[in-house]
Amino acid sequence: MSAPQPLRGRRIVDLSQYIAGAVCGQVLADYGAEVVKVEPPGGDPSRALAGSRFGSSYFRAYNTNKTAVALDLRDPGDRARLDELLAGADAVVLNFGRRTRERLQLDAAALHAEHPGLVVTVVSAYGAGDPRTCFDSIAQAVSGFAVLNADEQRRPSIAAGYPTDVFSGLHAAMATAMALLDPRRAPALEIDVPMIEVAMASLTGPASLLAADEGTFTAGQGNRDAATAPSNVYECRDGHCYVYAGLDKHWALLRPLVGGPDTPDAPAPQRIADRATFDAAVETWTRRHTVAEVDERLRELGIPAGAVRDPVAALAATVAERPGAVVAREPGGEAVPQYPVSFSGHRPHRRPAPARPERATAKSEETAR
């Protein structure tokens, strides 16, 4: 069985840069869309970010299954080429700020005046009509997530991995796909995906509801789970592991293993109020054992736990357990990120991100003809 391709025959023009918009185009391509990435003559800025001998890992991670063209949108000839692409497209994805979209006549009103059936998807900062710009880390800060993710000294902490960008791209892809597949969609549709709203929906979630209900929140406490105890990263003889034993059923199983007369059989509210005592009891036990021993014993008891791995170890372990997961290798050795979903055992195949396109000039086009 092949993966579903409901967007086969649809063309998406990806005018975005960096991560969020790129993720949107990538997911649409996974489901069959033809995605044409339009880059400035110097290439998408993310191509200049860190990587390996195969190029920027940031660009390669989020631009699979696309083709690419280089256009200078300030040049009349290149702008005409973009209009030709848009005329044959079903949707366009952008993450330029409002002022840039208006200056380049890429705002929804201008695009729909020329292409009324085009779905215009904008990954914005605070809304498509707001001129402010935003990056993932800023969205984490202003949404409240950095405070919820604070360390044990209550210093706000930004998460690695660009979660707001990725979640914004996923929401944008789902919304765009749903619009394209709806035969009754409204004409001249603009989809607005504000990163601040995505961060609050996807990262702060329950805390946003608590803020609405009671005007309160609980600041982060490092690696401790916000809603249960003891659940934390604990030191072992040869590394660290995460033990999630804060639910009553799990603590009842773990207490005989780690406890003694000084470790009470306390209800959840008491454990949460006195996290340090319970964390100390667990860590006193884990320090006497290796990570593998802790993992094996807790697995036998049915207590959720896992080794704290670095990315190299995590990749090796996951690929060993699930061949074909995470990355695939091209004949030349380049790693290509794989779609993390399978369909009746079939995983969609991703082509590598495109090489940096060269801008075609009128002279070079004449020579090619």
Side-chain angles (χ1 to χ4, degrees):
M1 174 185 175
S2 61
Q5 299 281 282
L7 300 178
R8 186 184 289 110
R10 307 280 190 166
R11 172 181 284 182
I12 314 297
V13 176
D14 181 0
L15 281 165
S16 64
Q17 298 180 357
Y18 292 105
I19 297 175
V23 170
C24 174
Q26 180 180 48
V27 173
L28 295 173
D30 286 327
Y31 288 103
E34 175 198 357
V35 179
V36 181
K37 186 172 183 68
V38 177
E39 302 185 48
D44 186 311
S46 67
R47 288 186 183 273
L49 299 179
S52 68
R53 68 184 187 278
F54 297 108
S56 165
S57 56
Y58 295 84
F59 183 85
R60 290 163 52 218
Y62 305 116
N63 288 284
T64 54
N65 287 2
K66 302 178 185 179
T67 59
V69 297
L71 297 176
D72 182 350
L73 300 184
R74 298 165 298 182
D75 178 89
D78 280 8
R79 178 50 198 258
R81 295 182 183 92
L82 174 62
D83 286 334
E84 291 175 3
L85 280 175
L86 293 172
D90 297 281
V92 60
V93 180
L94 312 98
N95 65 345
F96 300 137
R98 191 198 77 187
R99 293 191 182 98
T100 300
R101 296 198 309 274
E102 291 175 348
R103 184 176 70 251
L104 295 174
Q105 294 187 307
L106 291 172
D107 55 288
L111 286 169
H112 285 143
E114 294 295 324
H115 313 285
L118 191 68
V119 173
V120 177
T121 299
V122 179
V123 180
S124 65
Y126 301 88
D130 193 302
R132 289 176 289 177
T133 58
C134 190
F135 285 87
D136 180 280
S137 52
I138 296 172
Q140 291 189 47
V142 301
S143 67
F145 176 72
V147 170
L148 297 180
N149 197 43
D151 61 24
E152 293 186 19
Q153 286 70 48
R154 302 297 175 91
R155 180 181 175 84
S157 181
I158 300 298
Y162 310 101
T164 309
D165 277 338
V166 173
F167 279 126
S168 295
L170 292 174
H171 277 285
M174 182 172 65
T176 304
M178 294 301 101
L180 292 175
L181 296 174
D182 182 3
R184 299 183 179 180
R185 74 170 180 269
L189 179 64
E190 179 184 25
I191 297 172
D192 184 12
V193 185
M195 291 178 66
I196 177 63
E197 291 192 39
V198 170
M200 297 186 74
S202 303
L203 299 180
T204 68
S208 294
L209 291 183
L210 187 60
D213 293 341
E214 300 182 7
T216 61
F217 69 93
T218 300
Q221 301 184 55
N223 294 315
R224 289 170 171 158
D225 183 66
T228 66
S231 297
N232 204 343
V233 170
Y234 300 103
E235 184 180 355
C236 302
R237 275 171 44 195
D238 60 348
H240 293 82
C241 65
Y242 195 100
V243 178
Y244 190 92
L247 298 180
D248 288 342
K249 63 178 182 179
H250 295 141
W251 176 240
L253 295 169
L254 183 62
R255 182 179 177 271
L257 196 65
V258 307
D262 297 329
T263 307
D265 185 13
Q270 182 179 337
R271 298 197 306 272
I272 292 172
D274 190 14
R275 296 173 187 272
T277 295
F278 294 90
D279 279 340
V282 176
E283 193 160 63
T284 297
W285 177 75
T286 59
R287 281 175 172 166
R288 298 198 299 265
H289 304 279
T290 66
V291 172
E293 290 168 345
V294 170
D295 190 46
E296 182 180 2
R297 185 70 181 104
L298 297 188
R299 186 181 306 176
E300 292 172 352
L301 292 173
I303 298 171
V308 175
R309 300 165 171 163
D310 62 42
V312 174
L315 176 63
T318 304
V319 170
E321 294 165 358
R322 294 180 57 80
V326 189
V327 296
R329 295 282 182 184
E330 289 293 292
E334 178 182 356
V336 180
Q338 294 303 290
Y339 194 62
V341 176
S342 61
F343 298 88
S344 295
H346 179 82
R347 189 184 302 275
H349 174 72
R350 281 178 166 174
R351 302 189 313 275
R356 196 183 86 178
E358 297 295 331
R359 182 187 173 204
T361 63
K363 184 176 180 180
S364 64
E365 288 181 343
E366 183 65 31
T367 300
R369 286 196 292 270

